[in-house]
Amino acid sequence: MSTETLLASLEVMHRIRATEETISRLRLSEDIVGSVHLCNGQEAIYTGAVRALDLSRDAVFPTYRGHGWAIACGVPPEAVLAELLGRESGISGGRGGSAYFTAPTYGMYGENSIVGAGAPIACGAALAGRFDGSGRVALASFGEGAMNQGAVHEAMNFAAAMTLPVIFLVENNTYSELTPTRNVVRNDQFFRRASAYGMAGVRFDGNDPDAVREAVADAVERCRSGVGPVLLEAMTQRIVGHYIGDVQHYRPAGELDAAIAAEPIGRAERMARAAGVGDQELAALRQRVADEVDRAAAAALAAPLADPATVEEHVYA
Amino acid sequence: MPEIIEKSLSYAESVNAALARALEERPETLLFGEDVAIPGGVFGVTKGLRRKFGDRVFDTPISESAILGGAVGSAMFGRRPIVEIMWADFALVAFDQIVNQAANVRYVSRGAVAAPLTVRTQQGNAPGACAQHSQSLEALFAHIPGIRVCMPTTNQDAYDLLLSSIWSDDPTIVIENRTLYHGAKQPVRIGGPVQEVGGVGLRRSGSDLTLVTWGAMQRRALAAAERAAAEGIDVEVIDARWIRPLDLDSILASVQRTGRLLVVHEAHTTGGVGAEVVSRVVESGVPLSSPPVRVGALETRIPAAVQLAARVLPGDEDILGAIRRVAHDVPAGRVEAMPVGAR
Ligand SMILES: Cc1ncc(C[n+]2csc(CCOP(=O)(O)OP(=O)(O)O)c2C)c(N)n1
Ligand SMILES: [Mg+2]
């Protein structure tokens, strides 16, 4: 991977992290209210995957842990922050909030707060592509806990049986909320389930944006060439709680420290240094993105609240 | 039967006490669901039960169909499962197990088999919650013959109604509310006989108007009733905590005295349980001095932003306006024009 590409990925990951940290701050100050799920530690997945997609035609269906997907898809941090702040300028005008926003003009067809519900919908997006000539690939992303949801099993078989161009991307952070997922499955190598459906399955390092890009690019190629769906399993860890305020008492001693040591931003910076990029350049990149997100937060906070008079709009055609 | 003692408990602690008693007294009970055992529940409601009762309390995968189906099947074979569906919205991914399965077990076997299971769930909006985590779905459950539904709101009811549900030999949905879990502690009577299912709670006596409500919304209804009292309208507030079976007799007895009916719930008005209450009262022929009124959520999806959700869900002002309307028999839209205290 070229240094240029590495730095480009690093910039996106910084933008996601800085946005998440801003959200965390605004949640603690209660400018943002309600439940918020941050993706700190999982940024490489969104960054790498989006680089392998063509968002002018492809479609992404993430989960409630979706701020990072939105930013990677190109939604400006201001539109994400404004959404969480209930502003008119939010990407869904305050209707979606943290856990259910949708940015179709960016190829991001909605977070989903119902675990696994995006997977069958991605099948439909792929199905439509069969008739509209777009060559669309649909990517459904969800946690490994969602692999135990009936809708996900149905979607995988449906896509495989109909040879649909769907990428099922499992963000395996090893926890289903507060429960270690290995406690509720016999085999926690989720990519192995692919063969049961008759599709390809691959597990890879989800903290390396380039490994993610490569895996998703291969999957996209398989999908576009008509071979059908692929199951990808990106191994990662969240380095924050499931929700803000989660004290993570369920994590064994040392696990969080190890996760922080392996998190994707520090790792990409170490790689950049090894490739000869100076500390100063890395610090400048980080600062530039931090400033950009600070300005976004200030603009979002200054924007008018979404107008309650509009709540009955858009229910029907 | 344990002796009655009084303890100061939060709503969550009251639920926990009922679960502990059931697990203690009835060895056939099981308790399972997502995060309920080792983590003690995402709201901390089931804390300590795994440690105390071992394998009868366990964590499940994120598999609502298997959780509810597992409850139906184990209930058919002599267990008395208590399962948790973290949000009522999530029951929808496994609605089949309630509607097509649990509800039919007794009927189709002509009583040879039953499904004495309890589903604990919680519902409603809380600040910032999205459309998929905010719905009030009691009408969906209550529509189904064979299913029982209750909505405890006081800490005492959180204890009593859950025990009644567990002791009941029918599939019962207990709908709690996360905004109540960690509220103020109240004195709760623990122990004593387990009550039969059914009945209402009288939350405020009054002579001018019967306000029927249930769930967390009754806090707003009670606040509005106090404000109405200051205007000279004496509102009787009835908590219809058992949605199915609905205690129509108690509601009718009140309406008989007041001659006026208002129903307030957090769920959408169209097809809501309020429609059922109003129809039953009207069908009974009890004389009414003004047309009955329903107050529920607007007919739209529930937005995440707090100021937007506040418009959608019934607020104190909406309820007070409806009280005035029913009390003074004014048509909709003219409520604000009424002089305060006018009869
Ligand atoms: C159908 C359904 N069941 C339960 C939940 C509650 N819930 C929200 S997140 C979550 C854990 C999901 O774990 P995983 O799929 O691994 O994703 P992660 O949160 O780790 O990203 C659960 C159980 C839900 N939102 N939807
Ligand atoms: Mg997970």
Side-chain angles (χ1 to χ4, degrees), chain A residues 42 64-65 143-146 171-177 181 238:
Chain A
Q42 305 186 190
Y64 47 84
R65 203 181 296 290
E144 81 295 342
E171 302 175 30
N172 188 347
N173 63 11
T174 74
Y175 282 94
S176 299
E177 292 202 323
T181 306
R238 56 171 158 77

Side-chain angles (χ1 to χ4, degrees), chain B residues 1-4 21 25 167 190-194:
Chain B
M1 182 201 319
E3 196 182 316
I4 301 183
R21 175 171 169 189
E25 275 183 43
W167 260 242
I190 299 291
V194 172

Side-chain angles (χ1 to χ4, degrees), chain A:
Chain A
M1 179 187 25
S2 73
T3 308
E4 201 182 318
T5 312
L6 177 62
L7 290 178
S9 292
L10 189 54
E11 176 174 337
V12 176
M13 294 196 291
H14 275 317
R15 188 168 293 117
I16 297 171
R17 181 73 59 87
T19 303
E20 294 294 59
E21 283 172 353
T22 303
I23 290 169
S24 177
R25 212 166 45 244
L26 291 170
R27 176 67 187 82
L28 294 172
S29 65
E30 295 191 5
D31 289 290
I32 292 172
V33 293
S35 156
V36 163
H37 305 94
L38 303 178
C39 66
N40 304 37
Q42 305 186 190
E43 295 91 342
I45 298 174
Y46 326 125
T47 304
V50 168
R51 278 181 44 217
L53 296 172
D54 169 6
L55 290 178
S56 67
R57 55 178 166 160
D58 296 336
V60 176
F61 295 85
T63 69
Y64 47 84
R65 203 181 296 290
H67 312 154
W69 274 109
I71 304 267
C73 287
V75 179
E78 185 185 332
V80 173
L81 294 168
E83 179 61 26
L84 273 64
L85 288 161
R87 291 336 201 237
E88 192 61 49
S89 53
I91 192 73
S92 306
R95 280 157 181 72
S98 167
Y100 192 29
F101 65 72
T102 179
T105 50
Y106 292 89
M108 199 278 210
Y109 282 81
E111 291 185 310
N112 210 309
S113 276
I114 299 301
V115 164
I121 302 173
C123 292
L127 184 66
R130 174 163 295 167
F131 295 96
D132 66 18
S134 63
R136 175 184 308 109
V137 170
L139 183 149
S141 190
F142 40 80
E144 81 295 342
M147 288 293 280
N148 302 321
Q149 189 63 217
V152 173
H153 288 286
E154 293 185 21
M156 288 186 179
N157 182 61
F158 192 92
M162 302 190 186
T163 324
L164 294 173
V166 181
I167 301 173
F168 299 101
L169 173 53
V170 182
E171 302 175 30
N172 188 347
N173 63 11
T174 74
Y175 282 94
S176 299
E177 292 202 323
L178 322 180
T179 295
T181 306
R182 67 171 183 283
N183 289 2
V184 290
V185 289
R186 182 81 74 89
N187 182 344
D188 64 1
Q189 300 201 317
F190 293 98
F191 73 102
R192 293 198 186 281
R193 291 192 191 174
S195 64
Y197 297 105
M199 62 179 162
V202 191
R203 179 186 255 202
F204 51 89
D205 181 353
N207 283 5
D208 175 354
D210 210 51
V212 179
R213 185 202 53 76
E214 208 173 295
V216 176
D218 283 351
V220 166
E221 200 180 296
R222 290 180 72 90
C223 282
R224 291 219 215 278
S225 66
V227 184
V230 180
L231 174 59
L232 301 180
E233 182 178 14
M235 299 306 294
T236 186
Q237 287 279 311
R238 56 171 158 77
I239 56 171
V240 289
H242 174 70
Y243 52 87
I244 291 180
D246 172 8
V247 293
Q248 304 190 67
H249 55 73
Y250 48 82
R251 288 186 100 144
E255 186 185 86
L256 190 55
D257 290 338
I260 290 169
E263 65 86 22
I265 292 184
R267 172 199 171 121
E269 286 187 335
R270 286 193 297 279
M271 283 174 71
R273 275 192 209 95
V277 181
D279 282 348
Q280 227 173 347
E281 191 181 337
L282 289 174
L285 174 61
R286 186 187 285 260
Q287 192 58 47
R288 179 163 62 73
V289 175
D291 291 345
E292 173 201 320
V293 174
D294 280 349
R295 283 193 303 275
L301 280 163
L305 286 172
D307 180 1
T310 63
V311 292
E312 288 173 286
E313 294 174 1
H314 308 298
V315 179
Y316 295 106

